[in-house]
Coordinates of all heavy atoms in Angstrom, one line a residue:
M33 N 193.8 71.5 278.4 CA 194.7 72.6 278.1 C 196.0 72.1 277.6 O 196.6 71.1 278.1 CB 194.9 73.5 279.4 CG 195.8 74.6 279.2 SD 195.8 75.8 280.5 CE 196.0 74.8 281.9
M34 N 196.6 72.8 276.5 CA 197.9 72.3 276.0 C 199.0 72.8 276.9 O 198.8 73.7 277.7 CB 198.0 72.9 274.6 CG 197.0 72.3 273.6 SD 197.1 72.9 272.0 CE 198.8 72.4 271.5
K35 N 200.2 72.2 276.7 CA 201.3 72.5 277.6 C 201.6 74.0 277.7 O 201.8 74.6 278.8 CB 202.6 71.8 277.0 CG 202.9 70.6 277.8 CD 204.2 70.1 277.3 CE 204.6 68.8 278.1 NZ 205.8 68.2 277.6
N36 N 201.7 74.7 276.6 CA 202.1 76.1 276.6 C 200.9 77.1 276.6 O 201.1 78.3 276.5 CB 203.0 76.5 275.3 CG 204.3 75.7 275.4 OD1 204.8 75.4 276.4 ND2 204.8 75.4 274.2
E37 N 199.8 76.6 276.8 CA 198.6 77.4 276.8 C 198.3 77.9 278.2 O 198.3 77.2 279.2 CB 197.4 76.6 276.3 CG 196.3 77.4 275.8 CD 195.2 76.6 275.2 OE1 195.5 75.7 274.4 OE2 194.1 76.8 275.5
S38 N 198.1 79.2 278.4 CA 197.8 79.8 279.7 C 196.3 79.6 280.0 O 195.5 79.4 279.1 CB 198.2 81.3 279.7 OG 197.2 82.0 279.0
P39 N 196.0 79.7 281.3 CA 194.6 79.6 281.7 C 193.7 80.6 281.0 O 192.6 80.4 280.7 CB 194.6 79.8 283.2 CG 196.0 79.4 283.6 CD 196.8 79.8 282.5
K40 N 194.3 81.8 280.8 CA 193.5 82.9 280.1 C 193.1 82.5 278.7 O 192.0 82.7 278.3 CB 194.3 84.2 280.0 CG 193.9 85.2 281.0 CD 194.6 86.5 280.7 CE 193.9 87.5 281.6 NZ 194.6 88.8 281.6
M41 N 194.0 81.8 278.0 CA 193.8 81.4 276.6 C 192.7 80.3 276.7 O 191.8 80.3 275.8 CB 195.0 80.8 276.0 CG 196.1 81.9 275.6 SD 195.4 83.0 274.4 CE 195.5 81.9 273.0
S42 N 192.6 79.5 277.7 CA 191.6 78.4 277.7 C 190.2 79.0 277.9 O 189.3 78.6 277.3 CB 191.9 77.5 278.9 OG 193.0 76.7 278.7
R43 N 190.1 80.1 278.7 CA 188.9 80.8 278.9 C 188.4 81.4 277.6 O 187.3 81.3 277.2 CB 189.0 81.8 280.0 CG 188.6 81.2 281.4 CD 188.6 82.3 282.4 NE 189.9 82.1 283.1 CZ 190.7 83.1 283.5 NH1 190.3 84.3 283.4 NH2 191.8 82.9 284.1
R44 N 189.4 82.0 276.9 CA 189.1 82.7 275.7 C 188.6 81.6 274.7 O 187.6 81.9 274.0 CB 190.3 83.4 275.1 CG 190.1 84.1 273.9 CD 191.2 85.0 273.5 NE 190.8 85.8 272.4 CZ 191.5 85.8 271.2 NH1 192.6 85.2 271.1 NH2 191.1 86.6 270.2
A45 N 189.3 80.5 274.6 CA 188.9 79.4 273.7 C 187.5 78.9 274.0 O 186.7 78.7 273.1 CB 189.9 78.3 273.7
A46 N 187.2 78.8 275.3 CA 185.9 78.3 275.7 C 184.8 79.3 275.3 O 183.7 79.0 274.9 CB 185.9 78.1 277.3
L47 N 185.1 80.6 275.5 CA 184.2 81.7 275.1 C 183.9 81.6 273.6 O 182.8 81.8 273.2 CB 184.7 83.1 275.6 CG 184.5 83.4 277.0 CD1 185.2 84.7 277.4 CD2 183.1 83.4 277.5
L48 N 185.0 81.5 272.9 CA 184.8 81.5 271.4 C 184.0 80.2 271.0 O 183.1 80.3 270.1 CB 186.2 81.4 270.7 CG 187.0 82.7 270.8 CD1 188.4 82.5 270.2 CD2 186.3 83.8 270.0
K49 N 184.3 79.1 271.7 CA 183.5 77.9 271.3 C 182.0 78.1 271.7 O 181.2 77.7 270.9 CB 184.1 76.7 272.2 CG 183.6 75.4 271.7 CD 184.3 74.3 272.5 CE 183.8 72.9 272.1 NZ 184.4 71.9 272.8
G50 N 181.8 78.7 272.8 CA 180.4 79.0 273.2 C 179.7 79.9 272.3 O 178.6 79.7 271.9
S51 N 180.4 80.9 271.8 CA 179.9 81.9 270.9 C 179.5 81.2 269.5 O 178.5 81.4 268.9 CB 180.8 83.0 270.6 OG 181.1 83.8 271.7
A52 N 180.4 80.3 269.1 CA 180.2 79.6 267.9 C 179.0 78.7 268.0 O 178.2 78.6 267.1 CB 181.4 78.7 267.5
M53 N 178.8 78.1 269.2 CA 177.7 77.2 269.4 C 176.4 78.0 269.4 O 175.4 77.6 268.7 CB 177.8 76.5 270.8 CG 177.2 75.2 270.8 SD 177.9 74.4 272.3 CE 176.5 73.4 272.7
L54 N 176.4 79.2 270.0 CA 175.2 80.0 270.0 C 174.8 80.5 268.6 O 173.7 80.5 268.2 CB 175.4 81.2 270.9 CG 175.3 80.9 272.4 CD1 175.6 82.2 273.2 CD2 173.9 80.4 272.8
A55 N 175.9 80.8 267.8 CA 175.7 81.3 266.4 C 175.1 80.1 265.6 O 174.2 80.3 264.8 CB 177.0 81.7 265.8
A56 N 175.5 78.9 265.9 CA 175.0 77.7 265.1 C 173.5 77.5 265.5 O 172.7 77.2 264.6 CB 175.8 76.5 265.5
I57 N 173.2 77.7 266.8 CA 171.8 77.6 267.2 C 170.9 78.6 266.5 O 169.9 78.3 266.0 CB 171.7 77.7 268.7 CG1 172.3 76.5 269.4 CG2 170.2 77.9 269.1 CD1 172.4 76.6 270.9
A58 N 171.4 79.9 266.5 CA 170.7 81.0 265.8 C 170.5 80.7 264.4 O 169.4 80.9 263.9 CB 171.4 82.3 266.0
V59 N 171.5 80.2 263.7 CA 171.4 79.9 262.2 C 170.4 78.8 262.1 O 169.5 78.8 261.2 CB 172.7 79.5 261.6 CG1 172.6 78.9 260.3 CG2 173.6 80.7 261.6
T60 N 170.4 77.7 262.9 CA 169.5 76.6 262.8 C 168.1 77.0 263.0 O 167.2 76.7 262.2 CB 169.9 75.5 263.8 OG1 171.3 75.2 263.6 CG2 169.0 74.3 263.7
V61 N 167.9 77.9 264.0 CA 166.5 78.3 264.3 C 166.0 79.2 263.2 O 164.9 79.1 262.7 CB 166.5 79.1 265.7 CG1 165.1 79.8 265.9 CG2 166.8 78.1 266.8
A62 N 166.9 80.1 262.7 CA 166.5 81.0 261.6 C 166.1 80.2 260.3 O 165.3 80.5 259.6 CB 167.6 82.0 261.3
A63 N 166.8 79.1 260.1 CA 166.6 78.2 259.0 C 165.3 77.5 259.1 O 164.8 76.8 258.2 CB 167.7 77.3 258.7
G64 N 164.7 77.5 260.3 CA 163.4 76.8 260.5 C 163.5 75.4 260.9 O 162.5 74.7 260.9
T65 N 164.7 74.9 261.1 CA 164.9 73.5 261.5 C 165.4 73.5 262.9 O 166.5 73.9 263.1 CB 165.8 72.7 260.6 OG1 167.1 73.5 260.5 CG2 165.3 72.6 259.2
Q66 N 164.6 73.0 263.8 CA 165.0 73.1 265.3 C 165.3 71.7 265.8 O 164.3 71.0 266.2 CB 163.9 73.8 266.1 CG 163.8 75.2 266.0 CD 162.8 75.8 267.0 OE1 162.2 75.1 267.7 NE2 162.7 77.1 267.0
P67 N 166.6 71.4 265.9 CA 166.8 70.1 266.6 C 166.5 70.3 268.1 O 166.4 71.4 268.6 CB 168.3 69.9 266.4 CG 168.9 71.2 266.0 CD 167.7 72.0 265.4
A68 N 166.4 69.2 268.8 CA 165.9 69.3 270.2 C 166.8 70.3 271.1 O 166.2 71.1 271.8 CB 166.0 67.9 270.9
F69 N 168.1 70.3 270.9 CA 168.9 71.2 271.7 C 168.7 72.6 271.4 O 168.7 73.5 272.3 CB 170.4 70.8 271.6 CG 171.1 71.4 270.3 CD1 171.7 72.6 270.3 CD2 171.1 70.6 269.2 CE1 172.3 73.1 269.1 CE2 171.7 71.0 268.0 CZ 172.3 72.3 268.0
A70 N 168.4 72.9 270.2 CA 168.1 74.3 269.8 C 166.7 74.8 270.4 O 166.6 75.9 270.9 CB 168.1 74.5 268.3
A71 N 165.8 73.9 270.3 CA 164.4 74.2 270.8 C 164.5 74.4 272.3 O 163.9 75.3 272.8 CB 163.5 73.0 270.5
D72 N 165.3 73.6 273.0 CA 165.5 73.8 274.5 C 166.2 75.2 274.8 O 165.8 75.9 275.7 CB 166.4 72.7 275.1 CG 165.6 71.4 275.2 OD1 164.4 71.4 275.0 OD2 166.2 70.4 275.4
A73 N 167.1 75.5 273.9 CA 167.8 76.8 274.1 C 166.9 78.0 274.0 O 166.9 78.9 274.7 CB 169.0 76.9 273.2
V74 N 166.0 77.8 273.0 CA 165.0 78.9 272.7 C 164.0 79.0 273.9 O 163.7 80.0 274.3 CB 164.3 78.6 271.4 CG1 163.1 79.6 271.2 CG2 165.2 78.8 270.2
K75 N 163.6 77.8 274.4 CA 162.7 77.8 275.5 C 163.2 78.4 276.7 O 162.5 79.1 277.5 CB 162.2 76.3 275.8 CG 161.2 75.8 274.9 CD 160.9 74.4 275.3 CE 160.1 73.7 274.2 NZ 160.0 72.2 274.4
K76 N 164.5 78.2 277.0 CA 165.2 78.7 278.2 C 165.4 80.2 278.1 O 165.5 80.9 279.1 CB 166.5 78.0 278.5 CG 166.3 76.5 279.0 CD 167.6 75.8 279.1 CE 167.3 74.4 279.5 NZ 168.5 73.6 279.4
K77 N 165.5 80.7 276.9 CA 165.8 82.1 276.7 C 164.6 82.9 277.1 O 163.5 82.5 276.8 CB 166.2 82.4 275.3 CG 166.6 83.8 275.0 CD 166.8 84.0 273.5 CE 167.2 85.4 273.2 NZ 166.2 86.4 273.6
K78 N 164.8 84.0 277.7 CA 163.7 85.0 278.0 C 163.1 85.4 276.7 O 163.8 85.6 275.7 CB 164.3 86.2 278.7 CG 163.4 87.1 279.3 CD 164.1 88.2 280.1 CE 163.4 89.4 279.9 NZ 164.2 90.6 279.8
K79 N 161.8 85.7 276.7 CA 161.1 86.2 275.5 C 161.7 87.5 275.1 O 162.1 88.3 276.0 CB 159.6 86.2 275.7 CG 159.0 84.9 275.8 CD 157.5 85.1 276.0 CE 156.8 83.7 276.1 NZ 155.3 83.9 276.3
A80 N 161.5 87.9 273.9 CA 162.0 89.2 273.4 C 161.0 90.3 273.7 O 159.8 90.0 274.0 CB 162.1 89.1 271.9
S81 N 161.4 91.5 273.8 CA 160.5 92.6 274.0 C 159.7 92.9 272.8 O 160.1 92.5 271.7 CB 161.3 93.8 274.4 OG 161.9 94.4 273.3
K82 N 158.6 93.5 272.9 CA 157.7 93.9 271.8 C 158.5 94.8 270.8 O 158.4 94.7 269.6 CB 156.4 94.5 272.3 CG 155.5 93.5 272.9 CD 154.2 94.1 273.4 CE 153.3 93.0 273.9 NZ 152.1 93.5 274.5
D83 N 159.3 95.7 271.4 CA 160.1 96.6 270.5 C 161.1 95.8 269.6 O 161.3 96.2 268.5 CB 160.9 97.6 271.4 CG 159.9 98.7 272.0 OD1 158.8 98.8 271.5 OD2 160.4 99.4 272.9
E84 N 161.7 94.8 270.2 CA 162.6 94.0 269.4 C 162.0 93.4 268.1 O 162.7 93.2 267.1 CB 163.3 92.9 270.2 CG 164.2 93.4 271.3 CD 164.8 92.3 272.2 OE1 164.0 91.8 273.0 OE2 165.9 92.0 272.1
F85 N 160.7 93.1 268.2 CA 160.1 92.5 267.0 C 159.1 93.5 266.3 O 158.3 93.1 265.5 CB 159.3 91.3 267.5 CG 160.1 90.0 267.5 CD1 160.9 89.7 268.7 CD2 160.2 89.1 266.5 CE1 161.7 88.6 268.7 CE2 161.0 88.0 266.5 CZ 161.7 87.7 267.6
F86 N 159.3 94.8 266.6 CA 158.5 95.8 266.0 C 157.0 95.5 266.1 O 156.2 95.5 265.1 CB 158.9 96.0 264.6 CG 160.3 96.5 264.4 CD1 161.3 95.6 264.2 CD2 160.6 97.8 264.6 CE1 162.6 96.0 264.1 CE2 161.9 98.3 264.5 CZ 162.9 97.4 264.3
F87 N 156.6 95.1 267.3 CA 155.2 94.7 267.6 C 154.2 95.9 267.3 O 154.6 97.0 267.7 CB 155.1 94.3 269.0 CG 153.7 93.9 269.5 CD1 153.2 92.6 269.2 CD2 152.9 94.8 270.1 CE1 151.9 92.2 269.6 CE2 151.6 94.4 270.5 CZ 151.1 93.2 270.3
Q88 N 153.1 95.6 266.8 CA 152.1 96.7 266.6 C 150.7 96.1 266.9 O 150.5 94.9 266.8 CB 152.1 97.2 265.2 CG 151.9 96.1 264.1 CD 152.2 96.7 262.7 OE1 153.2 97.3 262.4 NE2 151.2 96.4 261.8
E89 N 149.8 96.9 267.3 CA 148.5 96.5 267.7 C 147.5 96.6 266.6 O 146.3 96.8 266.8 CB 148.0 97.3 269.0 CG 148.8 96.9 270.2 CD 148.3 97.4 271.5 OE1 147.3 98.2 271.5 OE2 148.9 97.1 272.5
E90 N 148.0 96.4 265.4 CA 147.1 96.4 264.2 C 147.7 95.4 263.2 O 148.9 95.1 263.3 CB 147.0 97.8 263.6 CG 148.3 98.4 263.2 CD 148.2 99.9 262.9 OE1 147.6 100.6 263.7 OE2 148.8 100.3 261.9
P91 N 146.9 94.9 262.3 CA 147.4 93.8 261.4 C 148.6 94.3 260.5 O 148.7 95.5 260.3 CB 146.2 93.6 260.5 CG 145.0 93.9 261.3 CD 145.5 95.1 262.1
G92 N 149.4 93.4 260.1 CA 150.6 93.8 259.3 C 150.2 93.7 257.8 O 149.0 93.5 257.5
E93 N 151.1 93.9 256.9 CA 150.9 93.9 255.5 C 150.2 92.6 255.1 O 150.5 91.5 255.5 CB 152.3 94.0 254.8 CG 152.2 94.1 253.3 CD 153.5 94.2 252.6 OE1 154.5 94.6 253.3 OE2 153.6 93.8 251.5
G94 N 149.2 92.8 254.2 CA 148.4 91.6 253.7 C 147.5 91.1 254.8 O 147.0 89.9 254.6
G95 N 147.2 91.8 255.8 CA 146.3 91.4 256.9 C 146.8 90.3 257.8 O 146.1 89.6 258.5
K96 N 148.2 90.2 257.9 CA 148.8 89.2 258.8 C 148.5 89.6 260.2 O 148.7 90.8 260.6 CB 150.3 89.1 258.5 CG 150.6 88.6 257.2 CD 152.1 88.5 257.0 CE 152.5 88.0 255.6 NZ 152.3 88.9 254.5
T97 N 148.1 88.7 261.0 CA 147.8 88.9 262.4 C 148.3 87.8 263.3 O 148.6 86.7 262.8 CB 146.3 89.1 262.7 OG1 145.6 87.8 262.4 CG2 145.7 90.2 261.9
C98 N 148.3 88.1 264.6 CA 148.7 87.0 265.6 C 147.8 85.8 265.4 O 148.2 84.7 265.6 CB 148.6 87.5 267.0 SG 149.8 88.8 267.4
A99 N 146.5 86.0 265.1 CA 145.6 84.9 265.0 C 146.0 83.9 264.0 O 145.7 82.7 264.1 CB 144.2 85.4 264.7
G100 N 146.7 84.3 263.0 CA 147.2 83.4 261.9 C 148.6 83.0 262.1 O 149.2 82.4 261.2
C101 N 149.2 83.3 263.2 CA 150.6 83.0 263.5 C 150.8 81.8 264.3 O 150.1 81.5 265.3 CB 151.2 84.2 264.2 SG 153.0 84.0 264.6
V102 N 151.8 81.0 264.0 CA 152.1 79.7 264.7 C 152.5 80.0 266.1 O 152.4 79.1 267.0 CB 153.2 79.0 263.9 CG1 154.6 79.6 264.0 CG2 153.3 77.5 264.4
N103 N 153.0 81.2 266.4 CA 153.5 81.5 267.8 C 152.4 82.0 268.7 O 152.6 82.2 269.9 CB 154.6 82.6 267.7 CG 155.8 82.1 267.0 OD1 156.3 81.0 267.2 ND2 156.2 82.9 266.0
F104 N 151.2 82.1 268.2 CA 150.1 82.6 269.0 C 149.4 81.5 269.8 O 149.1 80.5 269.3 CB 149.0 83.3 268.1 CG 147.9 83.9 268.8 CD1 148.1 85.0 269.7 CD2 146.6 83.4 268.7 CE1 147.0 85.6 270.3 CE2 145.5 84.0 269.4 CZ 145.7 85.1 270.2
E105 N 149.2 81.9 271.1 CA 148.4 80.9 272.0 C 147.3 81.7 272.6 O 147.5 82.6 273.5 CB 149.4 80.4 273.1 CG 148.8 79.4 274.0 CD 148.4 78.1 273.4 OE1 149.2 77.6 272.5 OE2 147.4 77.5 273.7
P106 N 146.0 81.5 272.2 CA 144.9 82.2 272.7 C 144.7 82.0 274.2 O 144.9 80.9 274.7 CB 143.7 81.7 271.9 CG 144.2 80.4 271.3 CD 145.6 80.4 271.2
T107 N 144.2 83.1 274.9 CA 143.9 82.9 276.3 C 142.4 83.2 276.4 O 141.6 82.2 276.5 CB 144.7 83.9 277.2 OG1 144.6 85.2 276.7 CG2 146.2 83.4 277.2
T108 N 142.0 84.5 276.5 CA 140.6 84.8 276.6 C 140.2 85.8 275.5 O 140.9 86.7 275.2 CB 140.3 85.4 278.0 OG1 141.1 86.5 278.2 CG2 140.5 84.4 279.1
G109 N 139.0 85.6 274.9 CA 138.5 86.5 274.0 C 139.4 86.8 272.8 O 139.8 85.8 272.1
T110 N 139.8 88.0 272.6 CA 140.8 88.3 271.5 C 142.2 88.4 272.0 O 143.1 88.8 271.2 CB 140.4 89.7 270.9 OG1 140.4 90.7 271.9 CG2 139.0 89.6 270.3
K111 N 142.5 88.1 273.2 CA 143.8 88.1 273.8 C 144.5 86.8 273.8 O 143.9 85.7 273.6 CB 143.7 88.6 275.3 CG 143.0 90.0 275.4 CD 143.8 91.1 274.8 CE 143.1 92.4 275.0 NZ 143.7 93.5 274.2
G112 N 145.9 86.9 273.9 CA 146.6 85.7 274.0 C 148.1 85.9 274.3 O 148.4 87.1 274.7
T113 N 148.9 84.9 274.2 CA 150.3 85.1 274.5 C 151.1 84.6 273.3 O 150.5 84.0 272.4 CB 150.8 84.2 275.7 OG1 150.5 82.9 275.5 CG2 150.1 84.7 277.0
C114 N 152.3 84.9 273.3 CA 153.2 84.6 272.1 C 154.4 83.8 272.6 O 154.9 84.1 273.6 CB 153.6 85.9 271.4 SG 154.8 85.7 270.2
A115 N 154.8 82.9 271.8 CA 156.0 82.1 272.1 C 157.3 82.9 272.0 O 158.3 82.5 272.6 CB 156.1 80.9 271.2
L116 N 157.3 84.0 271.2 CA 158.5 84.8 271.0 C 158.5 86.1 271.8 O 159.6 86.5 272.3 CB 158.6 85.1 269.5 CG 158.8 84.0 268.5 CD1 158.9 84.6 267.1 CD2 160.0 83.2 268.8
V117 N 157.4 86.7 271.9 CA 157.3 88.1 272.4 C 156.7 88.1 273.8 O 155.7 87.4 274.0 CB 156.5 89.0 271.5 CG1 156.3 90.4 272.0 CG2 157.2 89.0 270.1
E118 N 157.2 88.8 274.7 CA 156.7 88.9 276.1 C 155.4 89.7 276.1 O 155.1 90.5 275.3 CB 157.8 89.5 277.0 CG 158.1 91.0 276.7 CD 159.3 91.5 277.5 OE1 159.9 90.7 278.1 OE2 159.5 92.7 277.4
G119 N 154.7 89.4 277.2 CA 153.4 90.1 277.4 C 152.2 89.6 276.7 O 152.3 88.6 275.9
E120 N 151.1 90.3 276.8 CA 149.9 89.9 276.2 C 149.9 90.4 274.7 O 150.4 91.6 274.4 CB 148.7 90.6 276.9 CG 147.4 90.1 276.5 CD 146.3 90.6 277.4 OE1 146.1 91.8 277.4 OE2 145.7 89.8 278.1
V121 N 149.4 89.6 273.8 CA 149.2 90.0 272.4 C 147.7 89.8 272.1 O 146.9 89.4 272.9 CB 150.1 89.2 271.5 CG1 151.5 89.4 271.8 CG2 149.7 87.7 271.5
C122 N 147.3 90.2 270.9 CA 145.9 90.1 270.5 C 145.7 89.5 269.1 O 146.7 89.4 268.4 CB 145.2 91.5 270.6 SG 145.8 92.6 269.4
T123 N 144.5 89.0 268.9 CA 144.3 88.3 267.6 C 144.5 89.3 266.4 O 144.8 88.8 265.3 CB 142.8 87.8 267.5 OG1 141.9 88.9 267.8 CG2 142.6 86.7 268.5
T124 N 144.4 90.6 266.6 CA 144.6 91.5 265.4 C 145.9 92.2 265.5 O 146.2 93.1 264.7 CB 143.5 92.6 265.4 OG1 143.4 93.2 266.7 CG2 142.1 91.9 265.1
C125 N 146.8 91.8 266.4 CA 148.1 92.4 266.5 C 149.1 91.7 265.5 O 148.7 90.7 264.8 CB 148.7 92.2 267.9 SG 147.8 93.0 269.2
Y126 N 150.3 92.2 265.4 CA 151.2 91.7 264.4 C 152.7 92.1 264.8 O 152.9 93.1 265.5 CB 150.9 92.3 263.0 CG 152.0 92.0 262.0 CD1 152.1 90.8 261.4 CD2 153.0 93.0 261.7 CE1 153.1 90.5 260.4 CE2 153.9 92.7 260.7 CZ 154.0 91.4 260.1 OH 154.9 91.2 259.2
C127 N 153.6 91.3 264.5 CA 155.0 91.7 264.7 C 155.9 91.0 263.6 O 155.4 90.1 262.9 CB 155.5 91.4 266.1 SG 156.1 89.7 266.3
Q128 N 157.2 91.3 263.6 CA 158.0 90.7 262.5 C 158.4 89.3 262.8 O 159.0 88.7 261.9 CB 159.3 91.6 262.4 CG 159.0 92.9 261.8 CD 160.2 93.7 261.4 OE1 161.4 93.3 261.8 NE2 160.1 94.7 260.5
G129 N 157.9 88.7 263.9 CA 158.2 87.3 264.1 C 157.0 86.4 263.5 O 157.0 85.2 263.7
W130 N 156.1 87.1 262.8 CA 155.0 86.4 262.3 C 155.4 85.2 261.4 O 156.2 85.3 260.6 CB 154.1 87.3 261.5 CG 152.8 86.7 261.0 CD1 151.6 86.7 261.7 CD2 152.6 86.0 259.8 NE1 150.7 86.1 260.9 CE2 151.2 85.6 259.8 CE3 153.4 85.7 258.7 CZ2 150.6 84.9 258.7 CZ3 152.8 85.0 257.6 CH2 151.4 84.6 257.6
T131 N 154.8 84.1 261.7 CA 155.0 82.8 260.9 C 153.6 82.2 260.7 O 152.9 81.9 261.6 CB 155.9 81.9 261.7 OG1 157.1 82.6 262.0 CG2 156.3 80.6 260.8
D132 N 153.3 82.0 259.4 CA 152.0 81.4 259.0 C 151.8 80.1 259.7 O 152.6 79.1 259.5 CB 152.0 81.2 257.5 CG 150.6 80.9 257.0 OD1 149.8 80.2 257.7 OD2 150.3 81.5 255.9
K133 N 150.7 80.0 260.5 CA 150.5 78.7 261.2 C 150.1 77.6 260.3 O 150.1 76.4 260.7 CB 149.4 78.9 262.3 CG 148.0 79.2 261.9 CD 147.1 79.3 263.1 CE 145.7 79.6 262.7 NZ 144.9 79.9 263.9
R134 N 149.6 77.9 259.1 CA 149.2 76.8 258.1 C 150.4 76.3 257.3 O 150.5 75.1 257.1 CB 148.2 77.3 257.2 CG 146.8 77.7 257.8 CD 146.0 78.5 256.9 NE 146.6 79.7 256.6 CZ 146.5 80.5 255.5 NH1 145.7 80.0 254.6 NH2 147.1 81.6 255.4
T135 N 151.3 77.2 256.9 CA 152.4 76.7 256.1 C 153.8 76.7 256.8 O 154.7 76.2 256.3 CB 152.5 77.7 254.9 OG1 152.9 79.0 255.3 CG2 151.2 77.7 254.1
G136 N 153.9 77.5 257.9 CA 155.2 77.6 258.6 C 156.1 78.6 257.9 O 157.2 78.8 258.3
K137 N 155.6 79.3 256.9 CA 156.4 80.4 256.3 C 156.4 81.7 257.0 O 155.3 82.1 257.5 CB 155.9 80.6 254.8 CG 156.2 79.5 253.9 CD 155.8 79.8 252.5 CE 156.2 78.7 251.6 NZ 155.7 78.9 250.2
K138 N 157.5 82.3 257.1 CA 157.6 83.6 257.8 C 157.1 84.7 256.9 O 157.1 84.6 255.7 CB 159.1 83.8 258.2 CG 159.6 82.8 259.2 CD 161.0 83.1 259.6 CE 161.5 82.1 260.6 NZ 160.8 82.0 261.8
A139 N 156.9 85.9 257.5 CA 156.4 87.0 256.8 C 157.4 87.4 255.7 O 158.6 87.4 256.0 CB 156.2 88.2 257.7
G140 N 157.0 87.6 254.5 CA 157.9 88.0 253.4 C 158.6 86.9 252.8 O 159.3 87.0 251.8
A141 N 158.4 85.6 253.2 CA 159.0 84.5 252.6 C 158.3 83.9 251.5 O 157.1 84.2 251.3 CB 159.2 83.4 253.7
Ligands
SF4_195 S1 155.2 86.2 266.7 FE1 154.3 88.3 266.4 S2 152.6 87.9 265.0 FE2 153.2 86.0 265.9 S3 151.9 85.7 267.7 FE3 153.8 86.6 268.4 S4 153.4 88.8 268.4 FE4 151.8 87.8 267.2

């Protein structure tokens, strides 16, 4: 803390610094390059709700499905889990987090 800086200002500065760091992580993750610290932050974060990713129980445009998504982890039969979205998903489901498991390209990219 600087000489003329109050404790309140230090907390504010710390919050701003934290916000900037989170924004940097979000930009890095969105850019598709995940350094170890960003990957850890994503892992520690609670998964998103299905509504947040506009989840649907039918294929997306162009036949995109969870089965073809890098975030899909099969469990039994046509069911599975997702690295981004909470709860059970299915091989014929789809959401806006879809990322091609063969190329790593996101939907619409
Ligand atoms: S990100 Fe979306 S499309 Fe991909 S596995 Fe998860 S729910 Fe399915």
Side-chain angles (χ1 to χ4, degrees):
M33 178 167 52
M34 294 182 61
K35 257 185 180 177
N36 295 333
E37 199 174 314
S38 72
K40 253 188 173 173
M41 288 297 286
S42 291
R43 268 182 262 141
R44 183 168 186 239
L47 284 172
L48 288 172
K49 191 174 179 182
S51 297
M53 213 166 148
L54 286 174
I57 290 170
V59 167
T60 303
V61 170
T65 55
Q66 282 189 358
F69 77 92
D72 285 345
V74 169
K75 281 181 192 167
K76 289 176 186 170
K77 185 185 177 298
K78 191 178 141 215
K79 289 183 182 181
S81 73
K82 289 180 175 177
D83 286 347
E84 287 175 291
F85 276 83
F86 298 95
F87 179 85
Q88 59 189 49
E89 293 189 354
E90 57 195 45
E93 187 181 332
K96 294 178 178 77
T97 63
C98 290
C101 177
V102 71
N103 297 312
F104 183 68
E105 184 67 40
T107 52
T108 55
T110 59
K111 303 294 181 186
T113 59
C114 172
L116 297 179
V117 176
E118 64 188 8
E120 189 174 67
V121 298
C122 66
T123 54
T124 56
C125 297
Y126 171 78
C127 87
Q128 290 193 344
W130 186 88
T131 303
D132 193 323
K133 71 179 179 184
R134 294 166 297 152
T135 64
K137 287 186 178 173
K138 296 186 181 297

